[in-house]
Amino acid sequence: MTDPDLEAAKERAWQEVAAVDAAYRRGELDEQGWHDAMRAMVEPAYVGAATPEAGSGHGGDAETWAYTHRPILDAVDHDGSFLDVGCANGLLMQTIRDWALESGLVLEPYGVDISPAIAHLARDRCPQWADRIWTANAATWVPPRRFDYVRTGLEYVPDDRRAAYVDHLLTFLEPGGRLIIGKYNEETDLDTWAASVEAAGHPIVGRSTRPHRTHSLLAYKVFWVG
Ligand SMILES: C[S@@+](CC[C@H](N)C(=O)[O-])C[C@H]1O[C@@H](n2cnc3c(N)ncnc32)[C@H](O)[C@@H]1O
């Protein structure tokens, strides 16, 4: 049975998401309809956000942003280009570059977002990168170049499209590149997302996890393939 408290701690508007997923499963929404409904859910909150963190869908401050997102840097072991798929207002592009520099690594960030309004926000906040922030659905997009690192969430496509989505994003990589999944929140003792990617034929080459800030049963997780 679903525990509403646990689900709420995952920082998702889970009831609304579940309703959209159910409509998709019943065939009332096609894939485009699913994406439109998801976009309609996040767009007003991100565009009207009062803080940079909220404009990237994060409920905390700069400190908790770093705590939850810095594990993504564990996937980075050499200089290179870094595409944030679902770049929102560009905050991860900025912070991953800064954190990499602190570790003596140089990342060139790029971004893509499905929402024109949210991508516009990112270009406004990061004018120096305006020409490398694209508006597109990553599930169907063909990028104009390849990247050493591509980061994404699997929740950006319907459940039954996730395997094809991973296959598609792997084509964005430079030879030797890494596809980074996360961060996402999952019960500490479960491994559903990584197991599904591995079952689709993509061995996990690295992982990073941190305990959830407020919920003892959850962890922030990142893993990467490539
Ligand atoms: C939670 S934010 C991610 C913020 C940040 N990049 C991070 O690491 O936490 C999710 C963003 O992904 C975008 N997004 C969702 N599905 C997408 C898709 N299929 N293609 C591109 N962007 C997508 C949303 O519009 C939203 O701005």
Side-chain angles (χ1 to χ4, degrees):
M1 201 171 91
T2 307
D3 172 354
D5 178 50
L6 188 62
E7 293 297 327
K10 293 183 182 179
E11 298 177 13
R12 299 173 76 199
W14 67 271
Q15 281 168 317
E16 282 177 75
V17 169
V20 173
D21 281 338
Y24 174 79
R25 275 195 295 273
R26 288 193 300 266
E28 293 160 16
L29 289 176
D30 62 9
E31 209 172 322
Q32 184 60 48
W34 185 93
H35 284 291
D36 289 345
M38 291 296 182
R39 182 161 55 83
M41 232 183 281
V42 299
E43 220 167 43
Y46 287 29
V47 171
T51 66
E53 291 76 27
S56 267
H58 178 70
D61 59 12
E63 192 183 329
T64 61
W65 172 267
Y67 177 77
T68 55
H69 287 76
R70 202 167 170 139
I72 294 167
L73 187 64
D74 292 343
V76 173
D77 63 355
H78 58 273
D79 296 351
S81 50
F82 181 102
L83 175 69
D84 185 19
V85 175
C87 65
N89 67 353
L91 185 61
L92 185 68
M93 294 170 64
Q94 295 176 311
T95 50
I96 198 85
R97 180 181 160 85
D98 292 347
W99 297 330
L101 280 175
E102 288 169 24
S103 303
L105 295 167
V106 179
L107 286 183
E108 285 299 334
Y110 294 76
V112 60
D113 203 283
I114 196 169
S115 157
I118 296 174
H120 184 73
L121 204 62
R123 289 184 205 105
D124 264 7
R125 290 187 67 256
C126 310
Q128 73 279 26
W129 296 327
D131 61 353
R132 37 162 112 166
I133 297 171
W134 296 279
T135 301
N137 179 352
T140 51
W141 185 50
V142 178
R145 53 160 294 154
R146 290 181 176 215
F147 307 92
D148 297 297
Y149 303 96
V150 173
R151 187 222 67 87
T152 192
L154 292 184
E155 71 277 18
Y156 296 173
V157 293
D159 277 13
D160 64 347
R161 303 301 304 155
R162 286 183 181 168
Y165 181 60
V166 167
D167 287 344
H168 181 60
L169 292 189
L170 285 167
T171 70
F172 294 13
L173 292 176
E174 291 279 12
R178 284 180 173 169
L179 175 62
I180 307 166
I181 316 260
K183 66 91 177 145
Y184 59 99
N185 306 341
E186 186 177 52
E187 285 80 351
T188 310
D189 58 356
L190 289 185
D191 195 26
T192 311
W193 281 27
S196 70
V197 169
E198 211 148 38
H202 307 298
I204 310 301
V205 298
R207 297 167 182 264
S208 188
T209 65
R210 277 188 179 176
H212 194 274
R213 287 186 288 130
T214 57
H215 205 297
S216 61
L217 298 181
L218 292 178
Y220 305 111
K221 301 185 184 180
V222 178
F223 65 89
W224 47 98
V225 300

